[in-house]
Amino acid sequence: DQQVKQNSPSLSVQEGRISILNCDYTNSMFDYFLWYKKYPAEGPTFLISISSIKDKNEDGRFTVFLNKSAKHLSLHIVPSQPGDSAVYFCAAIQYNAGNMLTFGGGTRLMVKP
Amino acid sequence: GAVVSQHPSRVICKSGTSVKIECRSLDFQATTMFWYRQFPKQSLMLMATSNEGSKATYEQGVEKDKFLINHASLTLSTLTVTSAHPEDSSFYICSARETSYGYTFGSGTRLTVV
């Protein structure tokens, strides 16, 4: 049972435009969500997170939106840059279940110059 | 910020041999470390959770005797792939939890078993 899903395996956008990466989850008990960026043959690096009690968190070019009723979150990157090309994973944590990360399948973002 | 050092970054070994991967938290004490495995074009799958001074907790389907995890100190956890076979070839990543929600990942180890 995949509790965190990223239904788009890949996304291609033009430099300067907005990139929107989506993530859906099924476990309503998740109380914290994170986005990680990963380059090939490297470990994931933390990008941005959001608590379940919020619906938006912004950090520079990155904004995460959370819609709890729809069990959906999205990562917006504006403006997109070629260096943003990577695989993006969303992850969720349930605090009273060991605080372990549950990852989505990842979305490969390609930003074209 | 918190740094987790993982070594080696890549290793090639012969089938039947064992390989040890180290994960160190450099500027914080990690009472809990996590080991993940990533197959090509797939997500990170949690293999096991290691707690300092106690036995690791393995996820369902992960062979305890094949993937030995030791967390002898607050800054070091090791994963040993014993009697490696080609199907063990994968990308292994460790992670340490610094705060309730603060996870830091190592840079990963590409294991190739020939």
Side-chain angles (χ1 to χ4, degrees):
Chain A
D1 177 28
Q2 198 173 358
Q3 297 187 68
V4 180
K5 294 182 180 180
Q6 293 174 258
N7 292 317
S8 298
S10 65
L11 174 68
S12 181
V13 300
Q14 205 67 34
E15 181 180 5
R17 306 294 290 270
I18 183 171
S19 294
I20 300 176
L21 297 103
N22 294 304
C23 182
D24 297 292
Y25 62 96
T26 57
N27 185 352
S28 60
M29 300 301 291
F30 285 138
D31 62 353
Y32 209 78
F33 303 90
L34 308 93
W35 282 94
Y36 288 88
K37 177 179 179 180
K38 186 181 181 299
Y39 293 113
E42 293 185 13
T45 53
F46 171 74
L47 268 180
I48 192 169
S49 62
I50 188 167
S51 166
S52 63
I53 63 173
K54 296 187 176 181
D55 54 18
K56 178 182 176 181
N57 188 26
E58 188 173 355
D59 184 3
R61 296 187 298 116
F62 302 93
T63 303
V64 56
F65 295 92
L66 175 63
N67 183 334
K68 284 194 71 177
S69 61
K71 295 191 180 67
H72 176 85
L73 66 155
S74 61
L75 173 68
H76 292 213
I77 306 174
V78 183
S80 302
Q81 300 172 355
D84 295 329
S85 298
V87 177
Y88 289 78
F89 290 97
C90 68
I93 295 176
Q94 183 178 344
Y95 181 71
N96 62 1
N99 267 18
M100 291 181 291
L101 285 170
T102 301
F103 283 94
T107 297
R108 181 175 301 279
L109 173 65
M110 293 164 285
V111 181
K112 299 178 180 178
Chain B
V3 176
V4 172
S5 176
Q6 183 172 347
H7 293 281
S9 58
R10 58 180 63 195
V11 57
I12 301 173
C13 70
K14 291 185 177 181
S15 185
T17 62
S18 296
V19 173
K20 179 184 284 189
I21 302 170
E22 290 190 350
C23 199
R24 294 180 184 271
S25 56
L26 297 187
D27 47 7
F28 66 101
Q29 293 183 332
T31 56
T32 303
M33 287 193 178
F34 304 89
W35 288 94
Y36 294 85
R37 180 174 180 176
Q38 185 186 26
F39 293 101
K41 298 184 179 181
Q42 293 190 28
S43 188
L44 288 78
M45 302 303 297
L46 180 65
M47 297 175 64
T49 303
S50 74
N51 295 296
E52 185 267 337
S54 64
K55 289 184 178 180
T57 303
Y58 290 82
E59 296 299 300
Q60 192 173 8
V62 178
E63 298 177 59
K64 300 178 183 180
D65 295 332
K66 166 166 278 296
F67 299 101
L68 300 180
I69 291 174
N70 184 282
H71 195 159
S73 77
L74 287 171
T75 60
L76 175 64
S77 177
T78 61
L79 167 67
T80 301
V81 183
T82 62
S83 187
H85 289 96
E87 58 264 31
D88 298 325
S89 298
S90 191
F91 192 62
Y92 294 87
I93 307 172
C94 66
S95 173
R97 186 168 67 204
E98 186 187 13
T99 64
S100 293
Y101 301 126
Y103 289 79
T104 301
F105 287 82
S107 54
T109 298
R110 169 75 61 194
L111 170 64
T112 303
V113 185
V114 297

